[in-house]
Amino acid sequence: MVHRNRITSILALALLAAALPGACGGSSDEPGATAEVCERTSEDGSTEFLKRVGCAADFEALASAPVDASLPGARSVKVVLDRADQDALYFQNSVLYQIHYDFVSSHLSGDALPYVPPLAEFNATEYFTPDRRFVLGAVTHYQGPDVWALELSPYDTASADMITALFKAVQGASFFGSKLAFHPTSEAVAVEAQKLPADIPVVSTGDLYAGIDYQPLSLGTAVGRLRFAKAADLADEYLSHQDIVVLDQAPNDISVVQGIITEEFQTPLSHVNVLSQNRRTPNMGLRDAMSHPELLALKDKLVELTAGPSSWSVREVTQAEAEAFWEAHKPEPVTLPELDLTVTDLRDIEEVTPDPPDGEPLRDAIKKAVLAFGGKSAHYSILARIPEVPIQKAFSIPVYYYDLFMKQNGFYEQIEALLADPQFNTDTAVRDKGLKALRDAMKSAPVDAELQDLLRAKIEAEYAGHPIRFRTSTNSEDLDGFPCAGCYDSNTGDPTDWEDVLDAIRKTYASAWKLRTFDERTYYGIDHRTIGMALLVHHNFPDEEANGVAITNNPFDTAGVQPAFYVNVQSGGDVEVVAPPPGVTNDEFLYFFNQPNQPVTYLTHSSLMPEGQTVLTAAQVHQLGVALDAIHERFSPAYGPAAGNNGWYAMDVEFKYDDDANPGEPATLYIKQARPYPGRGAAAGAP
């Protein structure tokens, strides 16, 4: 924890300064500030750099969105202190020069100055060595809390003396100098910040985050009827795909809607955000949304909602405008390929998705495996053959046995009767009742005797001694373009009570016909008759020490300038990571695994951990990073630039730490699943 006494004071200082006359600048008698006098002589043309930022217009002329947009509503200008030229200070045009090297190699190399070396040498020295020529940083204005912050790269090893020199130079050459604070961007930088002089205020990422009232997650525009609801009531309250819903908190599951606003902030890896990314519908957090006057004035009316990278808007629309929007934004129907019902063996997971022959795409191998074993098993099979990725021993029950279960018990005919009923297709309550009756029948139906014999023999020979987890692996989940996060339910059975095992299988099969899952498929035009469910099977460890989710790329930096792993993790296994209870927060951090020193930037800390402690140790974070890096590289030929896709790519990974296999020893990492992340980052809009 860094300078707690100074963290709160900077936020108070920012609020006080905002209330003063001429708050956009500083008066000449304020310490560290000069009178607001613009330096730019012309509003026309491009300004390459300024040596002094005298007014808000100067700042805006140089500013861009920061490389890391984890804190929304921010504008940033990169700064350079040249120690070889008497500490000359430069505010560079951060639109023209997105990285420091581009600017210094263009403007500060040669003539009377030393030459700037090639990029690789520059990066190796200017962020890490004590005798570096430059001190490099950025000034970011966070609009929500109105804080002006000087920041270094998370991996920069600048000393407190270097930070002080840069801070004092920026403070004395800017209209915002009296409001400037230092913001540590990683745990390592925070340690060095503890050595700064007492007159340099320090503000933490958590406090900046707390001062923000708008959280953009999935960007875009939608039209729908503005509904207010509580997340706890959604199980009994029907929402239409023509609704935009305002919620008190993020639910773990939600039917197809046009847009989502939650009063409590979400994690980018929440199920509802993954669903919103996949649906290309706006999703945002807004503090006090349930009582927001602008939203309340439009309750139950047709509106257009726009979620942008730093702001949002809502306006009333006509019925004609709404119908035109819905017609223009119908999703393209998804057609699932025919299932492979020729595979009847219970297959060890390593053999489900064989490595493709040389020259053949990995994506084709995955697609082929999905036809018999579903998406989860197909991806888990690849994980099983990555040496750096620890998983639980597993096998897969092919989709053949789901199809057999449905045929033997007449469930396909029951589904046909439901689909033929016009009221079932138009009335949500009727549809819910019909699907519940189908699920109830499935949960008590007999399971094929041949499958039971094969399964009993497999468990007794190779998986004895533990409850068994049966996880859904369908041909319509965990796929690029249609992940269907949270669509299906997995269940656990105790082999010492065989009926309990059969109940787990039946309940898992039945989850294919939940109302939200059915409506999700309908929205995407999927023929329900083409659904098939395989099962991924392994031991169940119910009492893990930590559970989490991660993205193998930085969702706040889709430009790829600062790649990192984004991680959400919570202690124990009782609290849902992607939808924690109200008031509960996770450890949420960016791990710059491929940068020197591998810095970690915590965005929030777990409310279930003692003050100053993190859920994972440094060694566990590194172990997780090794696995995430290997997963990212292995699946890149299927989903990333190596597969011909342009730009940002990531895998969505679930993991846990558990000591069940070795009680008393440090908890061991297990990767639970990996699937392609559907969006282009945490604040992604439609392509």
Side-chain angles (χ1 to χ4, degrees):
M1 204 55 61
V2 182
H3 292 282
R4 271 290 176 192
N5 58 322
R6 287 151 60 190
I7 289 170
T8 52
S9 66
I10 183 59
L11 294 177
L13 178 62
L15 294 173
L16 176 62
L20 294 174
C24 61
S27 65
S28 58
D29 57 353
E30 287 177 324
T34 55
E36 185 169 338
V37 178
C38 294
E39 293 293 307
R40 295 176 75 229
T41 57
S42 172
E43 295 299 320
D44 301 325
S46 172
T47 300
E48 299 276 318
F49 67 89
L50 292 173
K51 288 199 163 189
R52 185 179 171 279
V53 174
C55 66
D58 285 348
F59 185 84
E60 283 303 314
L62 305 174
S64 66
V67 167
D68 183 344
S70 54
L71 292 159
R75 300 282 289 166
S76 187
V77 172
K78 289 181 171 57
V79 292
V80 176
L81 189 73
D82 189 352
R83 302 169 78 197
D85 188 20
Q86 299 180 334
D87 283 353
L89 179 68
Y90 300 88
F91 296 85
Q92 74 186 56
N93 188 315
S94 300
V95 176
L96 296 178
Y97 303 103
Q98 293 187 320
I99 60 176
H100 288 106
Y101 178 79
D102 289 345
F103 172 75
V104 299
S105 60
S106 297
H107 289 276
L108 305 179
S109 184
D111 294 331
L113 296 172
Y115 282 98
V116 173
L119 177 61
E121 183 180 345
F122 177 89
N123 285 340
T125 59
E126 299 307 315
Y127 295 97
F128 307 107
T129 60
D131 59 347
R132 67 184 76 175
R133 174 184 168 186
F134 300 110
V135 183
L136 307 171
V139 173
T140 303
H141 181 217
Y142 293 101
Q143 296 169 6
D146 189 25
V147 170
W148 294 85
L150 176 66
E151 301 168 323
L152 306 183
S153 292
Y155 42 83
D156 198 315
T157 62
S159 67
D161 287 343
M162 293 180 189
I163 298 171
T164 300
L166 180 61
F167 186 94
K168 296 294 185 182
V170 172
Q171 188 179 56
S174 59
F175 73 93
F176 49 79
S178 63
K179 296 194 287 184
L180 189 64
F182 182 70
H183 170 219
T185 52
S186 70
E187 298 299 288
V189 176
V191 170
E192 192 64 24
Q194 294 177 351
K195 306 172 187 175
L196 292 174
D199 62 344
I200 295 182
V202 177
V203 60
S204 75
T205 300
D207 286 275
L208 285 172
Y209 196 76
I212 292 169
D213 61 6
Y214 169 60
Q215 181 196 33
L217 288 150
S218 179
L219 306 187
T221 296
V223 171
R225 194 167 300 280
L226 192 64
R227 298 273 303 277
F228 283 71
K230 291 189 175 181
D233 298 335
L234 290 186
D236 302 313
E237 186 168 347
Y238 300 120
L239 295 172
S240 164
H241 69 276
Q242 296 178 349
D243 287 337
I244 293 172
V245 61
V246 182
L247 296 162
D248 55 342
Q249 64 187 81
N252 195 36
D253 200 11
I254 195 167
S255 58
V256 178
V257 291
Q258 284 291 319
I260 298 171
I261 303 172
T262 62
E263 186 169 73
E264 192 166 274
F265 279 10
Q266 308 168 35
T267 163
L269 290 173
S270 68
H271 279 158
V272 294
N273 190 51
V274 174
L275 288 169
S276 298
Q277 294 271 8
N278 185 59
R279 297 166 181 167
R280 299 294 189 263
T281 53
N283 176 33
M284 53 180 269
L286 182 67
R287 299 195 196 278
D288 300 322
M290 298 290 284
S291 57
H292 196 286
E294 189 174 0
L295 296 177
L296 285 174
L298 296 170
K299 182 180 179 181
D300 296 327
K301 296 181 179 180
L302 288 171
V303 302
E304 177 190 78
L305 172 70
T306 298
S310 59
S311 63
W312 64 279
S313 64
V314 63
R315 68 176 183 91
E316 188 174 359
V317 298
T318 64
Q319 183 73 33
E321 287 179 293
E323 290 177 358
F325 181 92
W326 296 330
E327 180 64 28
H329 290 81
K330 283 183 179 178
E332 289 292 326
V334 174
T335 301
L336 301 178
E338 186 175 351
L339 295 168
D340 181 357
L341 301 177
T342 66
V343 179
T344 61
D345 61 297
L346 308 189
R347 190 163 297 183
D348 289 337
I349 199 64
E350 292 84 356
E351 301 172 5
V352 166
T353 311
D355 288 327
D358 289 344
E360 294 189 15
L362 176 62
R363 184 71 188 95
D364 288 352
I366 295 173
K367 287 180 178 179
K368 182 178 179 181
V370 166
L371 302 181
F373 293 102
K376 193 168 290 160
S377 291
H379 290 106
Y380 202 85
S381 179
I382 295 171
L383 294 176
R385 297 194 306 280
I386 305 175
E388 301 87 351
V389 177
I391 67 164
Q392 291 175 321
K393 178 183 177 182
F395 65 95
S396 189
I397 301 174
V399 70
Y400 167 82
Y401 290 104
Y402 168 84
D403 182 69
L404 189 63
F405 177 76
M406 300 296 284
K407 288 175 178 175
Q408 288 176 337
N409 295 291
F411 293 134
Y412 284 140
E413 289 82 0
Q414 191 171 340
I415 290 166
E416 288 292 347
L418 291 174
L419 294 174
D421 180 0
Q423 198 172 8
F424 174 86
N425 293 301
T426 57
D427 189 319
T428 306
V430 171
R431 188 161 60 255
D432 192 11
K433 182 179 179 181
L435 290 172
K436 184 180 184 303
L438 171 63
R439 294 195 305 275
D440 289 344
M442 292 177 70
K443 290 175 184 177
S444 60
V447 176
D448 180 67
E450 180 184 355
L451 171 60
Q452 291 194 53
D453 291 342
L454 290 171
L455 185 59
R456 193 192 302 267
K458 183 78 170 175
I459 292 174
E460 289 178 352
E462 302 178 39
Y463 294 84
H466 275 286
I468 300 298
R469 187 70 168 170
F470 295 91
R471 300 173 63 191
T472 66
S473 182
T474 75
N475 61 335
S476 66
E477 65 177 321
D478 297 339
L479 307 176
D480 55 328
F482 189 69
C484 205
C487 276
Y488 307 94
D489 298 334
S490 300
N491 293 276
T492 300
D494 185 352
T496 62
D497 178 358
W498 193 248
E499 193 61 29
D500 193 50
V501 169
L502 298 182
D503 283 344
I505 293 172
R506 288 184 285 237
K507 286 191 288 187
T508 305
Y509 281 163
S511 71
W513 300 97
K514 296 189 301 180
L515 175 64
R516 200 275 280 177
T517 303
F518 184 93
D519 286 350
E520 188 88 15
R521 293 196 299 257
T522 301
Y523 182 70
Y524 282 94
I526 294 176
D527 184 346
H528 299 284
R529 304 167 185 84
T530 65
I531 296 301
M533 182 183 290
L535 299 174
L536 174 62
V537 187
H538 53 66
H539 283 155
N540 183 56
F541 295 160
D543 299 318
E544 60 255 31
E545 278 60 50
N547 67 102
V549 288
I551 300 176
T552 64
N553 211 335
N554 186 346
F556 307 110
D557 172 32
T558 57
V561 178
Q562 286 193 346
F565 301 139
Y566 172 77
V567 180
N568 259 284
V569 63
Q570 185 59 277
S571 62
D574 297 330
V575 176
E576 178 64 57
V577 175
V578 295
V584 175
T585 57
N586 308 320
D587 269 6
E588 180 183 350
F589 61 87
L590 289 167
Y591 182 25
F592 297 87
F593 179 80
N594 291 304
Q595 295 290 353
N597 306 318
Q598 297 186 328
V600 176
T601 300
Y602 278 88
L603 305 179
T604 61
H605 285 282
S606 169
S607 57
L608 305 183
M609 296 294 294
E611 179 77 14
Q613 293 186 26
T614 56
V615 175
L616 301 181
T617 66
Q620 289 174 324
V621 170
H622 178 72
Q623 183 187 24
L624 176 62
V626 169
L628 295 177
D629 188 56
I631 291 169
H632 189 85
E633 290 301 315
R634 184 65 189 97
F635 283 97
S636 181
Y639 302 113
N645 300 328
N646 294 323
W648 195 92
Y649 134 82
M651 296 296 290
D652 180 354
V653 178
E654 294 185 20
F655 65 91
K656 67 178 179 178
Y657 280 85
D658 192 278
D659 68 354
D660 193 86
N662 297 289
E665 297 296 320
T668 300
L669 172 67
Y670 293 94
I671 299 298
K672 296 169 65 175
Q673 73 176 57
R675 60 187 174 196
Y677 186 70
R680 280 185 43 81

